[in-house]
Amino acid sequence: MLLGGLRRQHGFAAAADGIPLQWRELRALGRLPGQVGDTAYGVICGADATAFEYMCAVEVAALEPLPREYGRLRLLQQHYAVFQHVGPVTGIRGTWERVFTWLAGSGFESAHKPDFEVYGSNFAPDSGLGGAEIWLAVVRRGSRADPD
């Protein structure tokens, strides 16, 4: 899948304020060149102990038509554990925490590939309601190969 949008670095402490602003900025851009559908993706592109890179994105047919200042990402085929976030988007951090608690006790580990949130047709950006899915890239614990 090809994604285009806005990439920003966020400190963990400031993310609750910065990410909604980033989403508003993406919505203000309107449809991106070559946009496919209306599903939106919040992609975690990398993290360290204090900060992470987050991309607010939509699927696009090709990366080349996007203006140079837009973020671009090619998501390759990968195995994912998928989780539902129910309730206002303001509570998604708690869902992420439960996802990582699950991961620690499961037979899987992070694949160290982009993880992402999916905001489908039920999601209302103005109210933050409608739920979302969290897709966590995983491999079997102790293996660098994809799980079967």
Side-chain angles (χ1 to χ4, degrees), residues 1 3 14 18 25 38 47 54 62 64 69 78 88-89 93 96 102 114 118 134-135 139 142 146:
M1 180 168 42
L3 299 178
E25 187 179 340
D38 293 318
Y54 187 82
E64 295 76 19
E69 65 272 13
Q78 171 64 47
V89 73
R93 181 176 178 170
W96 274 105
W102 169 86
V118 179
I134 293 177
W135 289 54
V139 294
D146 289 337

Side-chain angles (χ1 to χ4, degrees), residues 68-87:
R68 195 176 70 205
E69 65 272 13
Y70 286 25
R72 302 150 198 253
L73 182 66
R74 182 182 309 271
L75 283 177
L76 301 176
Q77 186 174 349
Q78 171 64 47
H79 287 275
Y80 291 92
V82 180
F83 303 85
Q84 293 293 318
H85 169 73
V86 178

Side-chain angles (χ1 to χ4, degrees), residues 20-34:
L21 294 174
Q22 185 178 346
W23 278 108
R24 281 195 279 285
E25 187 179 340
L26 179 67
R27 283 198 345 240
L29 295 173
R31 289 187 70 81
L32 298 190

Side-chain angles (χ1 to χ4, degrees), residues 27-52:
R27 283 198 345 240
L29 295 173
R31 289 187 70 81
L32 298 190
Q35 182 171 333
V36 177
D38 293 318
T39 299
Y41 301 86
V43 185
I44 296 167
C45 303
D48 61 27
T50 61
F52 63 98

